[in-house]
Amino acid sequence: MSTRVLTAHIPEELAEKVDRYAESMERSRAWIVKQALSNWVDWEEEKLRRTLEGLADVDAGRLIDHEDMVAWANSLGTDKPLPPPVPRK
């Protein structure tokens, strides 16, 4: 796999935290930064995918009434929780 060097200025306090994690995990600073950046990019991609999926549901009319969601959420942790609401069509 080919690689590229990226340079970023980060706050000193954050750099010190990265150094501490690298030392405690017996990994390089570069490994820590690569893992963090990879996880962040994956998270952002998943967030975008879910947003687009939700917008497609809205466009298709697959919606759950707010009142149904509130009633369900309020039932959680009670003796008789409601089943999760289903989208109306």
Side-chain angles (χ1 to χ4, degrees):
M1 171 196 312
S2 63
T3 62
R4 238 171 83 183
V5 174
L6 299 175
T7 302
H9 291 269
I10 61 171
E12 186 70 32
E13 185 177 309
L14 180 56
E16 290 170 1
K17 285 181 181 182
V18 170
D19 289 341
R20 284 195 300 274
Y21 276 111
E23 185 176 333
S24 71
M25 296 174 72
E26 297 180 355
R27 296 286 190 163
S28 68
R29 181 188 306 155
W31 186 89
I32 298 291
V33 171
K34 179 182 170 190
Q35 290 297 111
L37 185 56
S38 178
N39 289 339
W40 178 80
V41 168
D42 290 347
W43 186 80
E44 287 294 326
E45 288 175 342
E46 179 67 9
K47 185 172 73 170
L48 176 60
R49 186 192 67 74
R50 287 178 182 234
T51 298
L52 296 175
E53 184 179 279
L55 291 172
D57 283 340
V58 169
D59 290 343
R62 292 184 294 268
L63 305 169
I64 297 174
D65 289 328
H66 176 73
E67 295 80 15
D68 293 343
M69 284 301 297
V70 171
W72 173 72
N74 288 338
S75 78
L76 297 177
T78 68
D79 292 336
K80 295 184 180 178
L82 297 172
V86 295
R88 61 181 161 87
K89 295 179 178 153

